[in-house]
Amino acid sequence: MRIDKAQLEAIAALPDDKLWATVVSMAKGYGFTLPEKTPPHEELEKLRGAVNADKINVSDAMRVLNSYRKGK
């Protein structure tokens, strides 16, 4: 899977509610279900930090998403 850094930066710059709606939509496209309710700002900042422009840390991003999905 190729990751377009410019597109990723644009998505990460979205307001929290739009960012989460985009993440939920993308997850559905890959067969994953995430809660529709937007997580707290702090959680989304962790997600943004995992996919910053300099280095994409997919494992950290997945950890944040799985934690929220499981309600932790």
Side-chain angles (χ1 to χ4, degrees):
M1 173 170 85
R2 292 183 52 102
I3 298 173
D4 181 341
K5 286 187 178 187
Q7 185 177 18
L8 192 59
E9 287 175 2
I11 292 169
L14 292 172
D16 288 354
D17 58 338
K18 292 184 189 229
L19 168 62
W20 188 246
T22 302
V23 170
V24 169
S25 175
M26 292 171 75
K28 281 182 185 176
Y30 288 98
F32 295 100
T33 303
L34 293 171
E36 296 290 330
K37 184 177 183 261
T38 304
H41 178 74
E42 296 79 27
E43 292 299 311
L44 291 175
E45 284 301 309
K46 289 179 190 175
L47 185 59
R48 286 180 176 108
V51 294
N52 68 44
D54 298 329
K55 183 178 177 185
I56 299 168
N57 191 330
V58 176
S59 62
D60 279 354
M62 292 305 298
R63 194 173 304 118
V64 170
L65 291 175
N66 280 328
S67 175
Y68 187 68
R69 183 177 59 87
K70 292 178 182 178
K72 295 181 181 177

